[in-house]
Amino acid sequence: AAIRQGVGLLKEAGGLLKLEDILPLFPDFVTIDAFRDAIGAALERYASQIEELKSEMEEATEIAEAVRSDLRGLESRAGVVVGPGVACARCGRSLSDAPPPAALDGLASGGAIPAFYVFPTGLSYHAPCCAAELLATHPPPAVRARVTATLSRLSRLAPADPAAVTLVSQLAADVAAEDP
C-alpha cells in the first residue's frame, strides 16, 4: 500500500518529485517490480533530457566552429594593402600625403602619430583626421582631453621611441575602436 501511495505521489507531483527522491524512504527489501512503471517513466524522461542536451551540445559545437572559422578569416585579413590613391574620408587627401591643417581643427600631427586608420567598412582616415572626426561628435570631456593630450605627446616623439607604443595603442583605443 505504501508503494502504491508513493507511485501515486510521483504522478500527482507532475515531475516536481522524482523516483530517486522517494526511493530512499522505502525499505531495502522492496522489489523493483513495484516501481516498474515509475522507473520506465523516469528512464524515458532521462532519455529525452539526454537527447535535448546532445542537441544543445551539437548546436554549441557548430557555433564554436563558426566562430573559429570567422577568427581564421579575420586573421587572414589582418594585413591591409592601401593603394596610393586612397583618400582620407575627412579631408579628401591621399593617405600618403599629410592632412591639411584646416582639416585637423587645431589637433597635432606628425611625429609618432600613426599615418592612417583603415576600417572594415572601407573608409580610411589620416590618424589626426580620425581624431578630429571623433571630436566633432562631442565626446565626453575626459575623452576629448585624453585624445588631444595623446596626439600632442605623440607629435613630439619619434616613431621609434618606446614610449610611443603605449600612446599609439591608447590613441587607437580612443579614436579607431570603431568607424567614425
Side-chain angles (χ1 to χ4, degrees), residues 3 70 86 89-90 92 112 119 138-139 147 175 179:
I3 294 172
D70 288 349
V86 176
R90 181 171 174 88
F119 294 92
H138 306 291
V147 168
V175 302
D179 192 338

Side-chain angles (χ1 to χ4, degrees), residues 3-4 7 30-39:
I3 294 172
R4 271 190 240 114
V7 172
V30 174
T31 62
I32 291 180
D33 287 342
F35 292 104
R36 183 178 316 198
D37 293 337
I39 290 172

Side-chain angles (χ1 to χ4, degrees), residues 59 93 95 169:
E59 183 180 347
R93 278 198 177 172
L95 293 179
S169 295

Side-chain angles (χ1 to χ4, degrees), residues 40-142:
L43 290 174
E44 287 176 15
R45 273 195 318 274
Y46 294 147
S48 173
Q49 289 173 345
I50 288 171
E51 288 303 315
E52 285 180 36
L53 289 172
K54 279 184 185 177
S55 174
E56 289 174 11
M57 287 173 54
E58 287 172 3
E59 183 180 347
T61 300
E62 289 173 10
I63 290 171
E65 269 306 310
V67 168
R68 283 188 202 103
S69 174
D70 288 349
L71 288 174
R72 282 190 294 271
L74 288 174
E75 286 172 357
S76 66
R77 282 184 22 187
V80 176
V81 177
V82 178
V86 176
C88 174
R90 181 171 174 88
C91 71
R93 278 198 177 172
S94 171
L95 293 179
S96 59
D97 297 334
L104 302 180
D105 295 333
L107 295 174
S109 63
I113 295 175
F116 54 84
Y117 294 114
V118 178
F119 294 92
T121 59
L123 290 177
S124 304
Y125 295 87
H126 292 107
C129 289
C130 190
E133 194 75 12
L134 170 79
L135 296 180
T137 65
H138 306 291

